[in-house]
Amino acid sequence: MMPKLTRPVGVCLAYAILHLFFHFSAIWFDTLSAVSVSIWYPPAGLALSLLVLLGVRYWPVVFLVNYVGSVVGTSAHPVDALLFPGLITANYTLTAALVRKALGASLLPGNRKSTLVFCAAVLVSPAIYATVGTAVASAYDPLSPGKFWGIVLDWWMGDASGLLTVVPIAMVFVGPWLRGDPPAIELSTWSWSDYTAAAFRTFLLIASVSVVLAVPVLRDHYAFYLCFLPLVWICMMHGLPGATLATLMITMTGLVGMRLTGSAPDFAYVFILFEVAVAGTGLGLGTLVSRREEAERRLEASQQQLNRVITGARLGVWEWDIEQGAVHRNSRLAEILGYTDEEMQPSRDQWLELLHPEDAALEQIALGNHLEGRTPLYDMDCRVRAKDGHWHWVNSRGSVVEWLPDGSPKRFAGTQLDINARKRAEAEIVRLMKIIEATPDFVFTTTSVGKVVYANASLLGVWPVASDGKSWIGKSVAELFPHGPGETILGAAYQEAKVCGSWEGEMDLETPTKITIPVSVVVVAHRDEENDSFTFSVIMRDITEQRKAEAGRLQQERKLLQVQKAESLGVLAGGIAHDFNNLMTAVVGNANLMRGELAPDSAVLAHITEIEDAAEKASSLSHQMLAYAGRNPVSFAEIDLNQLIDGTLQLLKPSISKKIKVEFIPGEPLPPVLASSHQAQQLVMNIAANGLQSMGDAPGRLTFRTQHCHLSETESETQFPGQNLAAGDFVILEIEDTGLGMSQDVQAKIFEPFFTTKFTGQGLGLAAVVGYVRSHRGAIAVRSAVGEGALFRIAFPALAVKPRSTPVVAEPDADWQGSGLILLVDDDRAIRIVVGAMLKKLGFSVVLAEDGQDGVEKFCQHQNELVCVLLDLTMPRMDGFEAHSEMHRHNPNIPVLLISGYSQKLANLPADAIHPAGVLAKPFGVASLRKRLAKAVAKRSSSS
């Protein structure tokens, strides 16, 4: 494609070549006229086209080309060679200047103005030139008036025919090329059928002119009207571009045909008039067709644009024919409500049925006000029932667009817009505003300089009005909160909020009644991008109760710390007491044995007495250590778990935040459980404390539930997996919190000693809980997930059998002797030696075992001979509880005395729950051993 800057040069070169070609070719047609003037002179049209398209500044090109044409190949007088090119250049330069001023760089018929300018340019302008040119020529050779006007007419017809055929061609095809617009005919889009049809129409057009010229009858009757048929066809199919080409082809075909057939001058005049008629008809019809096609394209583009706008805006469009009662809608309303187009009836009655009953009445009022002329526009937000049954917000608006002759409305048109999301957002804003107004927190909004623009009810309840009796709206934060807080908010808080988006802190406010309120403060910055400015929202929360609660919790944490210390000390003291009492047992036992070997008057007896007294004091000192550490010997008893939880909650309530709701749902009735009230209470407190710490300062709920149920073996394993809980009746305690919850990894470790998820603390609470549960032969399970709180379930065996009455056994005398085989199980060698000697002194034979497993094996070997078993509680491999359970399983009739350095866990248990003969606390002597053995043997004798 030729670069844009060189296109005018190309047009000038083409003009020069075509001008000279047609100038000399026009001589060929001179013989058709009575004078030597061509009846078709295209150079006139080329000159006007060049000056209109490129501008009048190109007149030198026109003059130079005309001058060359006048001197080359002719013997014109030098004056004529300059005069006539000057006249034609001046004429068409002036014409082009007037055309460009009126129409711009285009000369085509169209509207009234452009058609008048076109006719004047192609008809009047050549008439002026022809008259002036003939007058100049007659100055050399005077002409009669008749001949003068004859030459003017011939000259005018030649130039006019050239203008009519050439100017439209140049404007339609060259003009768009110069401007860089799309071509008049897009040949690239044509198919072979388009080329074939165009060729066929061209053939018909040329043939129609040729037939008229070739057939004498048709020529004699001037039957050129036959050419109008293909001309009209071409104009209808191709518009103005086709009309210009058709006009040129008719002119060229007719001129060539007349030259070849030797037509008379009169026939040439008729043809020229026909040519004018053809040009006028073709250009007029072509212009109308082109304008119609352009209007259709613009209408289609406008309609497509309107449809895109409606689709993009998601608007429903509707029109109501009030006379006919019909309503026409697009598919948008159906889409909004979830209906199909077929389900939406073209009637107003269906619209009224779909409206909410409250909105239907208001809609009638709004519509009536508009129809009666009281409002310029019908505009209504209404709820419409969707297909799923929900109400959907729609904005319906419109106005009367057509009236009847009597002034009544005929047609109503408008739009329907989905505003459901907007209405929901507005409702949400209203809801949030109600929350803000109802919240006890102080909330207010200020400008960037601290002027209050909004304050909620809680703030106005404390600071109702300013000192001058006016509202705080418009007042400064410094006035609202003087003496420090206001300056902090306006200074550091606002500056940091601008950078970080928010600011948090605490401060003390002094109310107008001189009451100091501690508050936590959050400042949130809101940036207005359009104005590049800030507003700030300030939220203040009264933390008076929180500070009190924090003080209470701090005190409670100190107490819990003391408990944890006592637990640790208890572990240490228990271990020491165990070993210490073993040593004391050996000391006391050996002293007793020595006393039995001495004569009553022996001087050594006094020393033995001192040893026994010292051992008794040492044992008392051991018990004092246990008491100090909170490890007094434990007593099990029948307890009501509901009563225990009630009492525990009374201890917990002072340390629980008011944001946390505590709920106890007791199961009624509950059977008693055999438990230590101290340990059971500690268990409840430890789990509750864990839940409270998980909830922290956030609102939450702590729930206690109890129930009585029977668990099968399958249910026991499902609910308490891996804990070997036997089937039976249980009292279930559930403790549930709404805290942060735990992941599976954390749940697997929570009962490990010293494991904790907190930044501080020793993590002994839940580890101790497991010990409490195991000591009660119970089970524990936890269910939790991150963000869903935690649920602890503890199962205590329920008591269903009343204790059997214990036979009264008389106290044995000091000389009581027993008989039979006794199994002594203890991991301490010194204990085995001294207690074995004591048993032999009391008349028994002894079998010794060094731990629980060894004791069970020897129990099985000698169970038919044994009269009693002495069993230590704390031993390696198998402890006393497990060994006692195994012995009881093999032979429950043999009495078992449990011996321990610091625990009497089974001393007071009913006989139906477990079956020890009793517990003998270390250290003990022969007298204590005799008393316990006498009762145990007596019980067995009475039961057998």
Side-chain angles (χ1 to χ4, degrees), residues 151 166 316 552 602 705 852 866 882 921:
I151 295 174
V166 173
S602 174
R705 287 184 290 267
L866 293 174
E882 295 172 329

Side-chain angles (χ1 to χ4, degrees), residues 300-378:
E300 182 180 1
S302 177
Q303 185 63 42
Q304 291 176 352
Q305 182 183 27
L306 178 60
N307 291 336
R308 288 194 298 270
V309 170
I310 292 174
T311 303
R314 303 183 69 82
L315 280 175
V317 180
W318 59 281
E319 185 180 62
W320 175 28
D321 188 333
I322 301 176
E323 281 188 315
Q324 302 296 326
V327 178
H328 303 283
R329 304 182 182 91
N330 66 351
S331 60
R332 178 57 184 155
L333 182 62
E335 294 175 4
I336 293 173
L337 302 180
Y339 295 102
T340 62
D341 290 340
E342 292 75 16
E343 292 173 324
M344 297 300 294
Q345 302 173 8
S347 67
R348 177 165 167 78
D349 293 338
Q350 186 191 38
W351 169 256
L352 295 176
E353 291 175 1
L354 293 175
L355 282 178
H356 192 282
E358 297 177 2
D359 296 339
L362 297 175
E363 195 264 359
Q364 294 279 16
I365 296 173
L367 182 61
N369 288 336
H370 175 68
L371 293 178
E372 294 173 8
R374 287 191 292 271
T375 58
L377 184 69
Y378 158 76

Side-chain angles (χ1 to χ4, degrees), residues 111-433:
N111 55 27
R112 181 178 300 176
K113 179 180 179 181
S114 61
T115 301
L116 290 175
V117 172
F118 178 80
C119 292
V122 300
L123 298 176
V124 177
S125 177
I128 295 172
Y129 171 64
T131 302
V132 173
T134 304
V136 171
S138 65
Y140 298 98
D141 186 9
L143 302 172
S144 64
K147 190 174 183 180
F148 176 85
W149 291 111
I151 295 174
V152 170
L153 179 61
D154 290 343
W155 200 332
W156 172 79
M157 285 191 299
D159 284 6
S161 63
L163 289 169
L164 281 172
T165 53
V166 173
V167 170
I169 292 287
M171 295 298 118
V172 171
F173 294 98
V174 180
W177 178 75
L178 274 174
R179 295 189 297 269
D181 296 337
I185 299 178
E186 288 281 2
L187 295 178
S188 61
T189 62
W190 279 26
S191 62
W192 282 109
S193 61
D194 295 325
Y195 284 106
T196 303
F200 179 69
R201 297 185 192 105
T202 303
F203 170 76
L204 287 179
L205 188 65
I206 295 175
S208 64
V209 178
S210 301
V211 167
V212 171
L213 293 173
V215 178
V217 175
L218 297 178
R219 184 179 61 184
D220 293 342
H221 289 83
Y222 305 112
F224 291 113
Y225 51 80
L226 295 177
C227 303
F228 280 99
L229 295 177
L231 173 66
V232 171
W233 186 21
I234 291 173
C235 291
M236 294 299 295
M237 297 300 298
H238 298 288
L240 186 59
T244 58
L245 293 175
T247 301
L248 179 62
M249 284 188 288
I250 290 174
T251 301
M252 293 297 297
T253 303
L255 292 175
V256 172
M258 286 189 296
R259 181 70 176 85
L260 295 176
T261 57
S263 299
D266 292 341
F267 187 85
Y269 291 136
V270 173
F271 179 77
I272 289 301
L273 294 176
F274 164 70
E275 180 188 349
V276 173
V278 166
T281 302
L283 294 177
L285 183 58
T287 299
L288 290 176
V289 171
S290 294
R291 286 172 61 84
R292 185 196 67 189
E293 291 177 349
E294 180 65 22
E296 289 176 351
R297 286 194 296 270
R298 290 181 179 179
L299 179 60
E300 182 180 1
S302 177
Q303 185 63 42
Q304 291 176 352
Q305 182 183 27
L306 178 60
N307 291 336
R308 288 194 298 270
V309 170
I310 292 174
T311 303
R314 303 183 69 82
L315 280 175
V317 180
W318 59 281
E319 185 180 62
W320 175 28
D321 188 333
I322 301 176
E323 281 188 315
Q324 302 296 326
V327 178
H328 303 283
R329 304 182 182 91
N330 66 351
S331 60
R332 178 57 184 155
L333 182 62
E335 294 175 4
I336 293 173
L337 302 180
Y339 295 102
T340 62
D341 290 340
E342 292 75 16
E343 292 173 324
M344 297 300 294
Q345 302 173 8
S347 67
R348 177 165 167 78
D349 293 338
Q350 186 191 38
W351 169 256
L352 295 176
E353 291 175 1
L354 293 175
L355 282 178
H356 192 282
E358 297 177 2
D359 296 339
L362 297 175
E363 195 264 359
Q364 294 279 16
I365 296 173
L367 182 61
N369 288 336
H370 175 68
L371 293 178
E372 294 173 8
R374 287 191 292 271
T375 58
L377 184 69
Y378 158 76
D379 195 342
M380 176 77 180
D381 291 347
C382 49
R383 289 161 289 180
V384 187
R385 185 180 296 279
K387 189 173 183 178
D388 59 7
H390 292 89
W391 295 108
H392 202 97
W393 281 99
V394 174
N395 171 259
S396 180
R397 65 186 306 176
S399 62
V400 176
V401 296
E402 187 176 352
W403 304 83
L404 292 172
D406 61 359
S408 58
K410 178 182 179 181
R411 196 175 303 277
F412 198 104
T415 61
Q416 288 163 332
L417 178 64
D418 181 4
I419 59 171
N420 200 59
R422 189 190 77 192
K423 285 292 186 179
R424 300 295 182 195
E426 291 174 354
E428 182 68 12
I429 292 173
V430 172
R431 185 182 71 84
L432 293 175
M433 286 303 300

Side-chain angles (χ1 to χ4, degrees), residues 567-825:
E567 289 287 341
S568 300
L569 183 59
V571 173
L572 176 63
I576 294 175
H578 176 268
D579 294 340
F580 185 77
N581 285 331
N582 279 348
L583 295 174
M584 288 299 102
T585 299
V587 171
V588 173
N590 281 299
N592 288 169
L593 292 174
M594 289 176 60
R595 180 183 293 278
E597 297 296 330
L598 297 175
D601 57 349
S602 174
V604 180
L605 289 176
H607 300 291
I608 292 176
T609 301
E610 291 295 328
I611 293 174
E612 292 174 341
D613 291 342
E616 183 178 351
K617 291 179 180 180
S619 177
S620 175
L621 179 61
S622 176
H623 286 296
Q624 289 178 15
M625 289 174 60
L626 292 172
Y628 172 76
R631 305 287 290 190
N632 281 322
V634 177
S635 296
F636 278 61
E638 296 183 20
I639 64 171
D640 185 333
L641 200 58
N642 286 339
Q643 293 179 358
L644 182 136
I645 293 174
D646 276 332
T648 305
L649 289 180
Q650 297 303 318
L651 297 176
L652 282 173
K653 283 182 178 179
S655 62
I656 298 177
S657 170
K658 291 184 178 180
K659 298 179 184 178
I660 298 175
K661 180 181 179 181
V662 179
E663 185 178 12
F664 176 36
I665 306 174
E668 298 290 350
L670 288 182
V673 296
L674 196 62
S676 162
S677 61
H678 170 74
Q679 288 191 353
Q681 186 179 74
Q682 194 65 43
L683 178 149
V684 174
M685 292 183 68
N686 284 0
I687 296 178
N690 186 78
L692 293 173
Q693 292 174 1
S694 176
M695 290 182 283
D697 292 333
R701 185 176 65 255
L702 184 63
T703 305
F704 297 83
R705 287 184 290 267
T706 58
Q707 61 175 324
H708 172 224
C709 66
H710 179 83
L711 297 179
S712 64
E713 290 186 3
T714 302
E715 292 171 335
S716 299
E717 181 60 28
T718 301
Q719 298 183 26
F720 301 95
Q723 301 188 53
N724 299 322
L725 189 66
D729 290 337
F730 294 90
V731 174
I732 306 296
L733 168 62
E734 294 184 351
I735 304 176
E736 184 176 10
D737 65 75
T738 59
L740 300 177
M742 297 174 284
S743 65
Q744 294 295 327
D745 293 339
V746 173
Q747 291 182 54
K749 300 178 181 179
I750 56 173
F751 296 122
E752 295 180 4
F754 302 103
F755 175 77
T756 178
T757 59
K758 306 173 183 63
F759 292 108
T760 60
Q762 299 181 7
L764 294 174
L766 294 181
V769 165
V770 174
Y772 299 153
V773 171
R774 289 174 179 170
S775 69
H776 288 76
R777 292 295 188 265
I780 184 170
V782 60
R783 185 180 69 214
S784 180
V786 176
E788 298 183 6
L791 172 66
F792 287 83
R793 301 183 77 241
I794 303 100
F796 295 95
L799 292 178
V801 181
K802 295 298 181 182
R804 295 193 298 265
S805 59
T806 303
V808 178
V809 180
E811 291 290 332
D813 55 33
D815 296 329
W816 179 86
Q817 290 286 308
S819 64
L821 182 64
I822 289 182
L823 173 62
L824 173 61
V825 185

